Amino acid sequence: MRSSVCPLDCPDTCAVLVSVEDGRAVELRGHPDHPVTRGFLCAKVARYLERQYSPQRLLFPQRRTGSKGEGRFARITWDEALEEIAGRLQAIAARYGPAAILPYSYAGTMGLLNGAGMDRRFFYRLGASRLDRTICSSAGTAALNHTYGYRYGTEPEQFRDARLILAWGVNIRGCNVHLWPFIAEARRRGARFYTIDPVKNRTGASADRHYFVHPGSDAALALGLMHVLVAEKLYDADYVARHTTGFEALCRLLRDYPPARAAELTGLSAEDIAGLAREYAGTRPAVIRSGYGVQRSEGGGLAVRTIALLPVLTGAWRQRGGGFLLSPSGAFHLNRQALERPDLQAASPLGREARLVNMTQLGRALTELDDPPVKALVVYNSNPAAIAPDQNRVLAGLGREDLFTVVLEQLQTDTADYADILLPATTFLEHTDLYTSYGHYYLQMARPAVAPEGEAKSNVEVFRLLARKLGFAEPCFEDSEHDMIRALLDSSHPFVRGITLDELEQRGFVRLRLPEPFLPFQDGGFGTPSGKLDLETAVRPYEPPRESRRGDEALRAGYPLELISLKSDAGLNSTFGNRPEVDAETSLVWIRPEDAAPRGIRSGDAVRVFNQRGGCRLEARLEAVTAPGVVATRSVRWNKHSPEGRNINQVTSDRLTDVGAGATFYSCLVEVEKCEN
Ligand SMILES: Nc1nc2c(c(=O)[nH]1)N[C@H]1C(S)=C(S)[C@@H](COP(=O)(O)OP(=O)(O)OC[C@H]3O[C@@H](n4cnc5c(=O)[nH]c(N)nc54)[C@H](O)[C@@H]3O)O[C@H]1N2
Ligand SMILES: Nc1nc2c(c(=O)[nH]1)N[C@H]1C(S)=C(S)[C@@H](COP(=O)(O)OP(=O)(O)OC[C@H]3O[C@@H](n4cnc5c(=O)[nH]c(N)nc54)[C@H](O)[C@@H]3O)O[C@H]1N2
Ligand SMILES: [Mo]
């Protein structure tokens, strides 16, 4: 039995036990001793070995023989592949400058070494364009950093102590399943559980109450709730006085958000808003769990900032089991500089920090950027052909004959089809890594449980070899995985001080050095110069997303429905898009009967979901599981399994959030029509 860690982009970051027989992994189980994994795995990862030993695994380096996107390749050796990559990158850097090279990666693995380790060192030293990794969470991250000063949140284990739990824009039963047992325990002890979401997903269906909210209107709802808290004097005046500034200014703003106005803006009734505010203030402990769904719209930053003020006004931070959880990931105060080595930029031919390219706008970067244009793209831990918004532009860019594209992958994804050189990547069972989490406070390390399949190599190893080919002489390029972990642990922050490689090796998972229980803002202590939270600068007036039914008239014209392409329960972004059950789940679009009827759409019909950017075909399901005027689909389907080779990111926009320059997948206007054939 070996211990490992699930590397997927998920808040749960489970500790995994691997049974190995004759060098082959034969069973995966959740670690029984990990306080959040608690002995079980989600349905998708319990079956990960199907992927590990799938006939679809990429096993050898390959060179493209067909046209871009066609997916025809021929096997080459590692040395041929690395020679060609090094030669092409060098030639491009010489002709256009190194900024013409763009890395593209996200959280295919959340392991720090393979996700933000040797790769970062390599691209910094090369002088490549830097990638702004905004596709998921940057609005919420910026919002928490701005409001609280720290990205800390309520411990998941404390949810069992809550008496009222609000799941606000989060699909716990689909995307955060290891939080669910704590909520179930709280409910057995009498807690109430409510959901606030434009879509009634599995989590909403299991709630005591579901509140349908207009997409992107959460800030207005939070302001309406705060209006009631203040008007009825339900707030914790002592906490507010001691730990905040700017209360008067907040009160002035709140005057504009009485329940009747908040109701108009959000779609909840005024009675529901007043009732929810009273119940929230009157129940101790009360905790809010938000997911990243709530910040994936144009005003996503303000949404998180205003929601985050609710437990400040009520003093819910005082109690174990109270507060707010978006992400605790800011507590992992590791030495990221020592791992990533941004100082290497000074040694690059550029000699300074290179330009920053926003990953959410990849299509623009590949088709519009000049000075220099992007001439080489190196993709790992991501599948942009399927997951990036404004897909027509992305595919036009990836299809450029003059773009040299390298893809490091486990499977033949839509992006792999566009590679010039395609390299086989290891899985988490085959390489060493260190894992933080965005759902709990345990640091974890995993060593290989089995040898790589075929000729697969880890990202760390590939960038180490490329650095050698390019003659990078800095000793950090020869660092072992253990060297890199030691560099990360070299931090003087009290939360990680004293955690060693030995301790991680022995135990697999280690709780950060936090008080037990961890009550981050029990006594204020916000990460601001004064330690107080400034209520005045945290908020501003609410504006609906421009791309919404209450937004810009020109954008609305012709596309009267709002689309939420929330995550699939069976899948994980596009990672498991090769599985039939994920493909089936992501082939549907849910539409309310009253929105379907005028369009002549019946359940089971093939429909086209489209707007000015593009369109795709899905199968209609008539059910009232969305707010009126909202349609929903699950993401992210593989293009190559979709009719016409196009998925839902045909219609999503590359507009950015109010803060954090994040993606706005959930501010998206569409029309739906029945397909004639
Ligand atoms: N099974 C599964 N698990 C996953 C993933 C997956 O694809 N599948 N993906 C992983 C990743 S990358 C992430 S970022 C997390 C995301 O985890 P979550 O944030 O829980 O998931 P999302 O589906 O992004 O969004 C959550 C909910 O937000 C709702 N929502 C959308 N817009 C709004 C809005 O304006 N207001 C409100 N109140 N709600 C809104 C959606 O309808 C959805 O039900 O999950 C991770 N875990
Ligand atoms: N319409 C719509 N689009 C969305 C979203 C949405 O809700 N709706 N969600 C967005 C969000 S929140 C996110 S985070 C992004 C996610 O988008 P991505 O980060 O691209 O995530 P995945 O689609 O899961 O693709 C990850 C890829 O990394 C590969 N991989 C895994 N481990 C390794 C490794 O060790 N080495 C290498 N080289 N490769 C590896 C996997 O095989 C997989 O193909 O999608 C975004 N796109
Ligand atoms: Mo994400």
Side-chain angles (χ1 to χ4, degrees):
M1 200 74 90
R2 316 266 167 90
S3 69
S4 187
V5 181
C6 177
L8 297 180
D9 186 350
C10 167
D12 296 4
T13 323
C14 288
V16 179
L17 288 177
V18 190
S19 310
V20 180
E21 284 173 15
D22 300 328
R24 202 179 154 91
V26 293
E27 198 201 346
L28 301 182
R29 283 197 285 137
H31 200 304
D33 302 334
H34 187 287
V36 178
T37 305
R38 299 212 287 173
F40 77 97
L41 295 176
C42 65
K44 55 195 179 296
V45 173
R47 289 172 42 208
Y48 192 92
L49 293 179
E50 288 172 15
R51 177 189 187 86
Q52 172 73 12
Y53 299 115
S54 161
Q56 296 178 38
R57 262 302 282 281
L58 297 173
L59 298 176
F60 313 102
Q62 299 179 83
R63 182 189 287 124
R64 178 166 66 88
T65 55
S67 58
K68 291 237 175 184
E70 197 187 326
R72 275 201 297 136
F73 292 86
R75 181 173 173 181
I76 54 176
T77 66
W78 266 106
D79 202 56
E80 285 171 307
L82 295 169
E83 275 292 326
E84 183 160 339
I85 295 167
R88 293 290 296 268
L89 294 185
Q90 258 166 340
I92 287 166
R95 174 143 180 222
Y96 300 94
I101 299 163
L102 180 68
Y104 196 92
S105 72
Y106 202 63
T109 169
M110 302 255 297
L112 292 177
L113 308 191
N114 285 286
M118 201 55 89
D119 54 315
R120 301 296 164 96
R121 295 178 180 183
F122 177 79
F123 290 110
Y124 282 139
R125 175 63 182 77
L126 191 60
S129 285
R130 292 172 304 137
L131 187 71
D132 199 2
R133 291 176 170 81
T134 57
I135 202 91
C136 172
S137 61
S138 60
T141 299
L144 281 192
N145 286 341
H146 178 272
T147 304
Y148 288 166
Y150 294 121
R151 266 174 308 117
Y152 302 160
T154 307
E155 285 182 288
E157 300 95 312
Q158 290 181 35
F159 275 62
R160 56 158 72 91
D161 301 312
R163 305 284 301 166
L164 176 64
I165 300 164
L166 301 184
W168 196 326
V170 60
N171 181 9
I172 296 166
R173 296 197 63 194
C175 299
N176 184 195
V177 296
H178 290 80
L179 184 62
W180 190 249
F182 296 111
I183 294 173
E185 191 181 331
R187 293 175 86 184
R188 281 196 298 275
R189 291 153 60 177
R192 276 149 295 142
F193 174 70
Y194 301 158
T195 45
I196 303 171
D197 199 306
V199 182
K200 195 167 178 180
N201 55 38
R202 275 176 78 184
T203 310
S206 332
D208 297 309
R209 268 200 83 164
H210 179 76
Y211 297 94
F212 279 117
V213 65
H214 293 325
S217 71
D218 304 279
L221 179 55
L223 291 166
L225 294 171
M226 285 193 274
H227 175 102
V228 178
L229 297 181
V230 171
E232 301 186 7
K233 298 211 175 352
L234 301 173
Y235 63 98
D236 183 336
D238 176 63
Y239 191 92
V240 168
R242 287 206 282 147
H243 304 308
T244 72
T245 54
F247 185 62
E248 295 307 317
L250 174 67
C251 291
R252 276 196 298 281
L253 180 72
L254 292 180
R255 275 185 223 135
D256 293 338
Y257 297 90
R261 170 130 193 271
E264 242 168 66
L265 295 169
T266 62
L268 276 74
S269 72
E271 296 71 43
D272 279 350
I273 293 173
L276 183 58
R278 288 175 198 136
E279 192 173 345
Y280 176 65
T283 313
R284 307 277 147 144
V287 67
I288 299 173
R289 170 59 163 151
S290 277
Y292 283 102
V294 82
Q295 52 94 65
R296 214 165 275 131
S297 66
E298 288 173 35
L302 185 66
V304 170
R305 275 151 65 157
T306 45
I307 294 170
L309 294 188
L310 288 163
V312 175
L313 284 199
T314 61
W317 280 116
R318 289 182 193 268
Q319 291 102 26
R320 175 204 282 257
F324 174 57
L325 176 62
L326 175 64
S327 167
S329 61
F332 294 86
H333 292 274
L334 297 165
N335 193 343
R336 297 290 292 260
Q337 303 275 317
L339 178 69
E340 301 181 13
R341 296 292 308 272
D343 57 293
L344 290 167
Q345 292 177 105
S348 79
L350 211 61
R352 59 181 155 79
E353 202 166 69
R355 72 176 168 198
L356 192 62
V357 175
N358 190 318
M359 75 185 297
T360 298
Q361 298 183 323
L362 177 66
R364 279 174 210 270
L366 295 181
T367 56
E368 289 175 8
L369 261 193
D370 224 335
D371 196 27
V374 177
K375 299 296 270 185
L377 181 72
V378 183
V379 182
Y380 53 102
N381 301 345
S382 185
N383 182 13
I387 63 89
D390 201 1
Q391 181 174 91
N392 273 322
R393 238 198 283 230
V394 172
L395 296 181
L398 290 173
R400 272 173 46 203
E401 275 302 328
D402 67 324
L403 178 73
F404 176 63
T405 301
V406 179
V407 178
L408 287 66
E409 249 305 344
Q410 297 165 344
L411 298 182
Q412 189 69 40
T413 60
D414 292 316
T415 307
D417 288 347
Y418 284 87
D420 291 288
I421 300 284
L422 178 55
L423 302 174
T426 43
T427 68
F428 73 104
L429 296 169
E430 301 163 344
H431 57 234
T432 297
D433 221 320
L434 188 76
Y435 299 87
T436 60
S437 167
Y438 65 94
H440 60 65
Y441 287 104
Y442 296 84
L443 185 64
Q444 303 180 82
M445 175 182 163
R447 309 229 299 123
V450 293
E453 286 293 292
E455 295 181 5
K457 288 190 193 300
S458 70
N459 299 342
V460 169
E461 178 66 2
V462 171
F463 290 106
R464 198 186 272 136
L465 293 170
L466 281 173
R468 228 175 263 168
K469 285 266 182 227
L470 287 173
F472 295 166
E474 289 79 3
C476 68
F477 290 107
E478 295 298 328
D479 275 1
S480 70
E481 277 76 352
H482 283 187
D483 294 333
M484 294 167 82
I485 292 175
R486 280 193 208 97
L488 273 166
L489 293 175
D490 181 17
S491 158
S492 56
H493 195 281
F495 291 0
V496 292
R497 196 189 300 144
I499 298 179
T500 61
L501 185 63
D502 279 350
E503 186 181 2
L504 283 162
E505 275 216 88
Q506 274 164 27
R507 313 216 2 237
F509 52 88
V510 173
R511 187 172 196 269
L512 294 177
R513 308 289 200 229
L514 301 166
E516 178 97 71
F518 181 46
L519 302 173
F521 307 117
Q522 178 179 38
D523 198 18
F526 295 98
T528 56
S530 65
K532 293 188 179 195
L533 186 154
D534 187 32
L535 297 167
E536 178 166 10
T537 53
V539 289
R540 39 185 174 71
Y542 167 75
E543 276 170 44
R546 277 172 298 162
E547 186 155 339
S548 73
R549 279 175 304 140
R550 292 151 305 281
D552 187 284
E553 229 166 291
L555 288 173
R556 250 161 36 201
Y559 307 110
L561 297 169
E562 286 172 284
L563 168 79
I564 306 279
S565 50
L566 68 155
K567 314 250 181 270
S568 95
D569 288 342
L572 193 121
N573 302 322
S574 77
T575 290
F576 296 113
N578 59 321
R579 292 182 172 174
E581 75 278 12
V582 175
D583 195 59
E585 190 192 1
T586 52
S587 69
L588 305 174
V589 59
W590 281 265
I591 181 165
R592 288 179 75 96
E594 71 267 29
D595 290 323
R599 293 172 172 83
I601 294 169
R602 288 170 310 180
S603 245
D605 282 350
V607 295
R608 188 170 168 74
V609 178
F610 66 99
N611 61 19
Q612 72 281 15
R613 289 179 287 268
C616 76
R617 273 172 76 130
L618 295 165
E619 185 187 318
R621 276 280 181 286
L622 268 59
E623 239 182 295
V625 292
T626 53
V630 175
V631 295
T633 185
R634 295 311 188 91
S635 57
V636 181
R637 197 178 193 188
W638 278 16
N639 290 332
K640 62 176 83 181
H641 295 169
S642 314
E644 300 153 8
R646 300 289 187 257
N647 74 11
I648 198 64
N649 279 320
Q650 282 280 309
V651 297
T652 52
S653 121
D654 73 352
R655 216 172 274 123
L656 303 177
T657 49
D658 51 350
V659 297
T664 58
F665 289 104
Y666 303 161
S667 296
C668 181
L669 285 164
V670 296
E671 179 54 289
V672 180
E673 66 183 15
K674 191 175 153 138
C675 293
E676 287 315 322
N677 45 47

